[in-house]
Amino acid sequence: MAPYIYTERNGIHIIDLHKTVAKIDEAADALKQIAKSGKKILFVGTKKQTKDVIAEKAASVNMPYVIERWPGGMLTNFPTIRKAVKKMANIDKLMADGTFGNLSKRELLQITRQRAKLEKNLGSIADLTRLPSALFVVDVLKEQIAVKEANRLGIPVFGIVDTNSEPKNIDFVIPANDDAKDSVEAILNACCTAIAEGVEERKVEKADEKAADAQDEVEAEEVKPKRAARKARKDEAAEAPAAEAEAAEAPAEEEAPAAE
């Protein structure tokens, strides 16, 4: 992290905030493009002091997040994680239709506890039907398993990296204090604002495409009668010489017997 450190005081490294701002802008632009393409960004941070902020900011832009415990193999063994999420959905469905009505209290309690555990660990990624296109990690040292899984699969990693961490495995480094709630919140505000802009631009583009398609359909419908009218005029023009020829031949056929 030496390139991002401004100075050292009393054994404490001071991060160069000018570089932090530049890196936030760089990360925000990349996140905006990912969101604009309609892809998902997974936010990861299990630190007690920052996990509430991460959950709030990720939920505000409708992105999945992990704030409890990183389930090992979540990315590299994603189908197994999806099975657990489907199991949670099946429990909800069976509870709703009354299938569990005949179970004993003990069995129902066990199922309820299992459902609560799944909700705690996987509830925030219930809508993640495929691998995320990027990872946003707060404290890359603590979440090194998540970083390694993303590196293995070639998923770009955005990370808030403190001076005690190794930035070489992070694609978009944001040098900052990952223990301070205010610091993390300020960075997430900037990044989530960019994500929201990307999502909004995608909606506008889709609306424009839909309007353009509708306009094309309207124009096509307007052209059809004109084409039909032109075709009718062409057919009439083609039939006219034939009708004149028939009219010219008719008297000649009638006079022929008189000549004999």
Side-chain angles (χ1 to χ4, degrees):
M1 288 295 289
Y4 306 107
I5 295 173
Y6 175 69
T7 187
E8 181 184 346
R9 292 177 188 169
N10 301 323
I12 298 173
H13 292 103
I14 309 298
I15 292 172
D16 188 342
L17 293 182
H18 292 290
K19 292 184 178 180
T20 299
V21 171
K23 288 294 184 180
I24 289 173
D25 291 340
E26 182 184 331
D29 289 340
L31 289 167
K32 181 178 178 179
Q33 294 306 315
I34 292 171
K36 190 176 178 179
S37 64
K39 296 175 182 176
K40 292 290 185 181
I41 301 151
L42 178 62
F43 287 78
V44 183
T46 59
K47 273 188 175 181
K48 186 177 180 181
Q49 61 266 42
T50 58
K51 66 181 186 179
D52 291 338
V53 175
I54 295 168
E56 179 189 345
K57 298 301 177 184
S60 69
V61 289
N62 197 28
M63 293 294 173
Y65 56 90
V66 175
I67 58 170
E68 291 301 330
R69 181 185 67 84
W70 177 262
M74 179 174 166
L75 299 178
T76 53
N77 196 16
F78 189 69
T80 301
I81 299 297
R82 283 303 306 164
K83 285 179 183 177
V85 173
K86 287 179 181 177
K87 186 176 183 180
M88 183 173 66
N90 288 335
I91 291 174
D92 290 342
K93 185 178 178 181
L94 294 173
M95 282 183 171
D97 62 18
T99 304
F100 290 156
N102 298 325
L103 296 178
S104 65
K105 287 185 179 179
R106 183 179 177 182
E107 290 172 327
L108 192 58
L109 182 62
Q110 288 175 341
I111 292 171
T112 304
R113 284 177 177 171
Q114 184 184 26
R115 168 70 177 77
K117 186 178 179 180
L118 289 169
E119 174 66 33
K120 183 179 179 181
N121 293 326
L122 304 174
S124 59
I125 60 167
D127 297 330
L128 189 64
T129 55
R130 61 181 65 185
L131 284 171
S133 295
L135 234 63
F136 191 102
V137 180
V138 178
D139 192 346
V140 297
L141 186 62
K142 183 176 176 61
E143 314 301 339
Q144 56 182 313
I145 297 174
V147 173
K148 286 179 181 177
E149 289 189 27
N151 291 156
R152 184 176 174 184
L153 295 173
I155 297 172
V157 179
F158 296 75
I160 298 179
V161 188
D162 210 336
T163 54
N164 63 342
S165 303
E166 174 59 68
K168 70 177 182 181
N169 294 323
I170 311 302
D171 299 283
F172 293 86
V173 177
I174 301 174
N177 184 356
D178 55 26
D179 292 315
K181 182 180 178 181
D182 292 340
S183 171
V184 172
E185 186 172 5
I187 293 169
L188 287 176
N189 270 335
C191 293
C192 289
T193 299
I195 291 171
E197 288 174 2
V199 171
E200 194 60 33
E201 286 182 13
R202 178 176 172 79
K203 287 180 181 177
V204 170
E205 285 183 1
K206 278 193 169 183
D208 290 343
E209 287 176 5
K210 192 174 181 180
D213 291 341
Q215 184 64 28
D216 290 342
E217 288 179 5
V218 169
E219 290 176 358
E221 291 298 325
E222 290 176 353
V223 167
K224 282 180 182 179
K226 293 179 181 178
R227 286 180 178 173
R230 283 200 299 268
K231 186 179 179 183
R233 287 196 295 271
K234 284 182 181 179
D235 292 343
E236 288 176 3
E239 289 173 1
E244 290 175 3
E246 288 178 4
E249 290 174 1
E253 290 176 358
E254 292 173 359
E255 290 172 4
E260 289 176 2

